[in-house]
Amino acid sequence: PDGGWGGDPGLLAPRDEPGDGSSVEETALALEALLTAEPAEVLKVPIGKALRWLCARVEAGRHHECSPIGFYFAKLWYYEKLYPLIFTVAALGRAAGQSGPGAGHQAALAHLESTHTT
């Protein structure tokens, strides 16, 4: 509901706060996939929510925290320290590269730009 994508809510929670199950990696991957789809009215809301969720994590410096995203055989989770950075840059780069009516992420981009102007 908040725009983040992920798995088990308890798995990704930092020790001192409850988790919603969303991760930077999975949200960035989902956002990039949604942005590559044919423009559709139904995608405006999930794209906007995912973009706002991801931008909020970047602004809070949480895009440096890696989370387990893959499940391999025998209950082995894997993660990579660079995944959150790489996937975030890819998703936000794709969002920034798109323009025109119906892009679905213009408000979030305007918010991001307004918070980083000097």
Side-chain angles (χ1 to χ4, degrees), residues 13-100:
R15 289 187 263 307
D16 58 345
E17 60 187 67
D20 61 3
S22 299
S23 73
V24 168
E25 294 92 334
E26 289 171 292
T27 302
L29 288 170
L31 175 59
E32 187 175 15
L34 291 172
L35 289 168
T36 62
E38 288 294 320
E41 190 69 28
V42 71
L43 294 180
K44 284 185 179 183
V45 171
I47 287 172
K49 283 184 171 185
L51 189 54
R52 282 188 276 286
W53 189 97
L54 191 58
C55 288
R57 295 320 177 272
V58 169
E59 291 171 355
R62 305 272 315 261
H63 63 295
H64 294 282
E65 301 170 8
C66 58
S67 301
I69 62 166
F71 187 69
Y72 197 52
F73 71 94
K75 298 182 181 181
L76 175 66
W77 286 94
Y78 67 91
Y79 66 94
E80 167 58 48
K81 289 172 74 171
L82 292 177
Y83 283 171
L85 297 172
I86 293 167
F87 298 159
T88 297
V89 168
L92 295 180
R94 182 170 296 278
Q98 292 184 353
S99 62

